[in-house]
Amino acid sequence: MTPSLVRSLFAVGASAALTAGATAQDRVEDLLSQMTLEEKAGQMTQLTLSALSSGRQWTDTEHELNVEALRKAIVEDHVGSILNQFDAAFTPDYWREIITAVQDIATEETRLKIPVVYGVDSVHGANYVIGATIFPQNLSLAATWNPSLSTIAGEITAFETRAVGIPWNFSPVADVARQPLWSRYFETFGEDPHLVSVMAAESVKGQQQAELNVAACGKHFIAYSMPRTGKDRTPTQIGMVELLDVFAPPFQAMIDAGVDTMMINSGEINGVPVHASHEILTGLLRDRMGFEGVAVTDWEDVIKLHTMHKVADSEKEATRQAILAGIDMSMVPYKTDFADHIVELVSEGAISEERIDLSVRRILRLKDKLGLFEEPISGPEHVQHIGKQASLDASLAAAREGVVLLKNENNALPLASGAKILVTGPTADALPPVYGAWSFSWQGAEAGLYPDTPTVLDAARTQFGAANVSYVPGASFNEELDLAAVTSAAADADAIVVCLGEPPSTEGPGDILELELEPAQLALAQAAIDTGKPVVLVLIENRPRVFTQVDAGAAAVVWLGEPGPFGPQALAEVLAGTLNPSGRLPFTYPRQNGSVVTYDRKWSEGSPEVFANGPQRPLYQFGSGLAYTTFGYSGLRVTDRGDALTVEVTVANTGERAGHEVVQLYVSDEFASVTPHVHRLKGFEKVALEAGESKTITFELTKDDLSVIDRTGRKIFEPGGFGFRVGDQATRIDWGN
Ligand code: GLC
C-alpha cells in the first residue's frame, strides 16, 4: 500500500479548517502531511475556465459553466487553481456565481476541502468585470511619472477584482520595453529599469495592501520584452550583465515589495527556454533575488517545452524539466495530464516528493495568506462599490497626467475657444484603440463589448461645442478612405486634429512587420498638412510607431498611448487649454525604423551631442514632454555624506500658469569595469508649481544606487568619477575613493 494511500485512509473526514490555536504554518504543514501525491499534483495544476465551460460569453451568447467538468477537475483531479474569463467580461454577479460554484465544490466535496485560488488578468483595472474602473494601460500610466497613481490603480483594481471573488491578479507586467516592435510594449511601464521598478513596485503594494487585497503577480520573469526580432515569444539573446542590469531590477523591486507570485517568460534566453532553466528560475529568481512565493508558468508553457521549444521529447519530460527548473504551478491550461505526469515522475524517482512538497507548500501558503480557508469568496457587500465615482476620478486623474505634449510650434495649442475643428483619422471615433487589449476580451477588439464612454470625437464636441467640430474618417488603420473629403472639409476649419495609431492587440496577434506607421495614415496626415491649416497629430498606439515624415509638417503632436476611458476627455482638455499637460515619454521615440536606441545607450551608440543632433537622434527623447508653461533649474549641488550622496536642485515655474514638472536626475558613471551607460535615470519627482513658484528638490543616492553589474555578474560599487544632470544643470564629483 503506497504511503499516499495510507495517508488518505487515515485522513478521511480531515478538514482544512485550522484546529484551535494552530498557526497558519501549522495548517499548511498539517494539510501537507495528509495529502496524497495525487492531491499535491492537483494543487500544482491550473485550468482555464474555457476547459470547464460548455458555452462562451460574447455579444450574442451567454457563458455556460460545465458543472460536471468542473466537479471532475476539482474533486477527481484535485485541481487547485482556475483562471480566466471566457471569452468576454462577466457581470459582477455572474463572476460571483462562477467563483461560488468553484469554491462550494472545493470546500464541500473534496476530501481536504482546500479552496481553489482563482486568477485573472486585471491588467489595467478589473478589465474582465463589467462596470469596473478601467485605467490607462501601463505605458500611459508610466507617462504620468507619478508613482502614487500606480499605487491607487493597484488598490482599486485589487478591490474590484476581489469584490467579484477573484483573489489573484496576473499583474503587473514588469518587463522593460527595449524592443518597440514588440506587441506588448504598451503593457510595460517603459524602457527604463528605474521608472519600471518604481511603478511596478507601487502596483504590487497597491494590490496587496488594499482594503480588499489580491495576490499580485510580477510578470514575465525574465526578459520576455526583448525578442530579438520583435515577434512575441521568439528568441532572446542577451548577456548576463544586461539581463541583471536592465531586466532584473523591476523584479527585484517587486520582490522587495513582497510580491506574492511571479509568472514566467514563455520565451527562451540564449537557447534555453526560461521554463526549463534552473539557472534562471532557481539560481537567479530564488537564490540570488530571494523570491519565496509561487512561480506560475505562462500559458501552456510546460507543454510548449515539447511542442514549440522542442527541448523535451514528451510532455512528461517537459513536466520533469519545468519542475526541476523551479516552477510551482502549471497554467496547463486545458487538461490535467500535468498532474498525472507528476505522479508518474515521483513514482519513478525522477522527481522527489520533497520537491513537490516545496511547491505545494508555497501554493497552500498563498491560499492561506489570502484568507481563502476562512473566506473562499469575499462577501457580496463590496460589489456595490465597483466603478464608484472616486475610482472613476482616479482613472481620469491618471489619463490627465499621462497626456504627453511632444510638439507645440508657435503655440498652436491650446486651440482658441470657438475654433472650428476638423477631426479625422482611424482612432478619432473608436473606443478599442483608446482602451487597448485586455479590455472586456483578450484582444480588446470587439467594440460591442465596450461601455458607452466618449471617443476623441465625442470629447472634442463636448469640449468645443458640437457645431464647431466636424468629422471625416479620412483613413482606416491601413487604407485611405477619402482624403479629398478631408481636404474639402478643412476649408471651414481653423485646425485639423488627425488621430493616428493602432487597433488594440497583444501577444502574437499584435506582431507587426514595420515600425513605421501605416502608409495610409501617413498619407492622411500629409493631406491634412497640405491644406495649410494647423495640424495636431494625436498618437493612440500600442508602441512608438514611426511617423517622422509627417512630424515636421505638424504644428503639434500629442502622445496618448492607450489612455483608457478618460483619455479622450483629457486630450480635449489639453487641446482647449483647460488642462496643462504634464506627461513625459517613458520611452525613446525612434526617428527611423533602423535607429532604435534607448536613452541609456552606451557611448559607442552616440555621445550626448550625437544623440541630440546627429541624424540618428531620436524623434523625441525619453523623459520629454511640453507644458503650457516653462520651467527652469538652478543650484544643482551634490554633497558627499560618506556612504550616501545628497543631490539638491531648485526648479522654478518660469511661465504664466501653474503646472507640473517632472524633475529627473540622471547620473553618468565616468569609467567602469563594464561599458558604462552614457547616463541613467536615478531619481525623479513630479512637482506642482504655481506660476513663479520654485521648490528645492532633494535626492538621496547610495552606493548601491550607483553600483554596476561587473563582468562576473556581481553588483558592485566602483569608486570613481560620477556626473550628475538635472534639466540644464550639470556637475560631477569623485566618490568612494
Ligand atoms: C497570456 C499572457 C499572460 C497572461 C496569461 C493568462 O498568455 O502571456 O500575461 O497573464 O496568458 O491570461
Side-chain angles (χ1 to χ4, degrees), residues 83-84 121 170 184 187 219-220 224 233 263 266 298-299 331 438 507:
L83 81 145
N84 263 358
D121 293 285
F170 304 136
R184 304 185 72 173
E187 296 183 52
K219 66 184 189 180
H220 308 70
Y224 172 42
R233 290 176 161 87
M263 187 181 292
S266 304
D298 200 344
W299 193 267
M331 185 187 295
W438 308 100
E507 301 189 51

Side-chain angles (χ1 to χ4, degrees), residues 346-431:
V346 171
S347 309
E348 294 160 8
I351 295 177
S352 71
E353 189 156 358
E354 285 67 35
R355 170 61 191 86
I356 299 305
D357 288 354
L358 194 56
S359 292
V360 176
R361 185 174 288 114
R362 290 172 181 147
I363 294 166
L364 294 178
R365 280 181 183 156
L366 174 67
K367 295 185 177 184
D368 181 75
K369 182 180 178 191
L370 287 167
L372 294 178
F373 289 104
E374 283 72 36
E375 193 178 56
I377 179 169
S378 52
E381 66 278 11
H382 306 297
V383 168
Q384 61 185 312
H385 302 299
I386 291 174
K388 68 182 181 185
Q389 191 56 49
S391 303
L392 302 180
D393 292 346
S395 180
L396 172 58
R400 281 172 167 162
E401 290 204 36
V403 178
V404 185
L405 178 58
L406 289 173
K407 180 181 183 183
N408 189 16
E409 216 158 54
N410 308 320
N411 293 323
L413 292 179
L415 301 173
S417 64
K420 299 288 185 190
I421 301 164
L422 169 62
V423 175
T424 184
T427 57
D429 196 27
L431 288 180

Side-chain angles (χ1 to χ4, degrees), residues 49 63 65 67 70-71 74-75 82 84 90-110 113-118 161-167 372 375-381 383:
L49 183 63
H63 176 258
L65 187 62
V67 179
L70 180 65
R71 177 165 285 107
I74 296 174
V75 178
I82 297 171
N84 263 358
F90 297 148
T91 63
D93 289 346
Y94 187 65
W95 264 120
R96 293 185 61 80
E97 209 178 297
I98 295 275
I99 307 296
T100 300
V102 166
Q103 298 296 37
D104 283 355
I105 293 172
T107 59
E108 294 168 12
E109 301 182 30
T110 63
K113 306 178 179 11
I114 299 171
V116 163
V117 60
Y118 204 106
T161 300
R162 193 75 188 260
V164 299
I166 302 172
L372 294 178
E375 193 178 56
I377 179 169
S378 52
E381 66 278 11
V383 168

Side-chain angles (χ1 to χ4, degrees), residues 46 48 83-85 119-123 128 169-171 173 175 184 187 217 219-220 224 232-233 263-264 266 297-301 304 331 438 442 506-507:
Q46 183 182 65
T48 189
L83 81 145
N84 263 358
Q85 83 303 351
V120 80
D121 293 285
S122 291
V123 294
Y128 289 146
N169 183 17
F170 304 136
S171 176
V173 168
D175 299 310
R184 304 185 72 173
E187 296 183 52
C217 183
K219 66 184 189 180
H220 308 70
Y224 172 42
D232 187 49
R233 290 176 161 87
M263 187 181 292
I264 307 308
S266 304
T297 75
D298 200 344
W299 193 267
E300 211 171 40
D301 279 319
K304 285 178 184 171
M331 185 187 295
W438 308 100
W442 177 43
T506 186
E507 301 189 51

